[in-house]
Amino acid sequence: MIVHPSIMEYIENHVGQAPEAFQQVWKKSQWEMVYGHMVSDVPQAQFLRMLAQLMGARKVLDVGTFSGQSALAFALGVGENGKVITLEKNEEHWVKAQRILKDYPETQRIHFHCGDALAWMEQCQDLFDIIFIDAEKQQYPAYYEAGLSLLRSGGLMIIDNVLWYGTVTDPTNQQKDAVILRQFNQKIANDARVTSVILPLRDGLTLLQKK
Ligand SMILES: C[S@@+](CC[C@H](N)C(=O)[O-])C[C@H]1O[C@@H](n2cnc3c(N)ncnc32)[C@H](O)[C@@H]1O
């Protein structure tokens, strides 16, 4: 964890007016999913929901469904005329996410797609207000390029796990995902097509806006 546990606990205890659903989905993910730690926690879900509200987003692409927490956060944020497309390649996750979210009325705004995210993105013709990248780390550079072409001008891309437990700051750490993410973060920092910043929320979130 890159933020001190006591700070994380404090932040968790001071999320204002988060829907009960975020805590419920987090808990169900711990019980029902094999890798329960992969679910967005309540502060992150609240942050994603607020970004969608602040952007006035109507169309969101969520790359990496898992148990559906980020998809639900965006579904709440886009309002009743909005829609969220969420992509998941693991059929078991795809089935469980729909079951976990089935009782929330906002789930009607979510389209759950089962299949490889990159393949879907490369054939998509639509434009999105927000794209959230939270799937296979080795594929991040490819999601980024495909995602940029699906993002409207002024649109927001959010990328999770960019600090990879803090390993990106240590150039001697040659672990595969650390190396990929270190190069990836540098590429974004140098990219004149976007303005960007890394936030130390959870495992590191990049926010970037397409010019
Ligand atoms: C970290 S979890 C997503 C967490 C979720 N976005 C949230 O906020 O709670 C990553 C998910 O991406 C899925 N995934 C990995 N590679 C994928 C791919 N190539 N296409 C689609 N989904 C993929 C995994 O099966 C896993 O369910």
Side-chain angles (χ1 to χ4, degrees):
M1 194 178 279
I2 56 170
V3 178
H4 193 279
S6 68
I7 301 279
M8 274 317 299
E9 193 182 336
Y10 187 85
I11 291 172
E12 276 159 23
N13 290 335
H14 291 81
V15 180
Q17 308 298 309
E20 254 318 288
F22 292 160
Q23 185 64 25
Q24 292 164 355
V25 172
W26 188 87
K27 275 194 187 149
K28 283 185 193 165
S29 307
Q30 308 311 312
W31 298 330
E32 295 189 26
M33 312 292 288
V34 178
Y35 300 105
H37 68 278
M38 293 206 296
V39 63
S40 284
D41 62 9
V42 175
Q44 182 157 306
Q46 177 83 325
F47 186 57
L48 297 177
R49 171 203 185 192
M50 288 179 67
L51 287 175
Q53 287 172 352
L54 291 165
M55 288 285 294
R58 287 290 167 267
K59 276 197 290 182
V60 177
L61 179 62
D62 176 54
V63 180
T65 311
F66 190 52
S67 56
Q69 182 83 292
S70 49
L72 179 65
F74 290 125
L76 285 153
V78 294
E80 59 187 17
N81 295 319
K83 79 167 181 181
V84 178
I85 296 176
T86 186
L87 310 177
E88 175 56 61
K89 77 165 182 194
N90 180 316
E91 203 174 329
E92 194 182 323
H93 294 179
W94 177 71
V95 170
K96 282 188 176 170
Q98 291 172 82
R99 199 176 63 220
I100 288 173
L101 299 193
K102 73 177 175 4
D103 293 332
Y104 305 114
E106 295 81 7
T107 300
Q108 287 168 11
R109 301 171 194 158
I110 304 173
H111 172 78
F112 296 86
H113 175 80
C114 189
D116 178 62
L118 188 59
W120 189 94
M121 292 167 85
E122 285 176 344
Q123 57 74 46
C124 177
Q125 305 281 333
D126 221 345
L127 279 181
F128 295 86
D129 302 304
I130 295 182
I131 300 179
F132 180 45
I133 306 290
D134 190 18
E136 174 57 47
K137 308 310 155 201
Q138 300 287 319
Q139 298 259 39
Y140 268 26
Y143 297 144
Y144 175 68
E145 285 304 331
L148 263 192
S149 60
L150 298 178
L151 200 59
R152 71 162 166 83
S153 177
L156 176 70
M157 192 184 291
I158 310 159
I159 309 167
D160 201 8
N161 306 108
V162 295
L163 296 176
W164 203 238
Y165 310 98
T167 56
V168 290
T169 63
D170 174 8
T172 65
N173 185 323
Q174 291 299 308
Q175 189 226 342
K176 220 162 132 199
D177 288 336
V179 172
I180 285 274
L181 285 163
R182 202 175 292 128
Q183 289 167 352
F184 179 63
N185 291 335
Q186 192 59 54
K187 174 188 161 92
I188 293 176
N190 295 343
D191 192 338
R193 296 172 296 175
V194 300
T195 48
S196 68
V197 66
I198 296 174
L199 302 178
L201 188 65
R202 273 195 108 201
D203 195 22
L205 269 188
T206 291
L207 297 192
L208 65 90
Q209 187 169 37
K210 182 174 172 180
K211 290 184 183 165

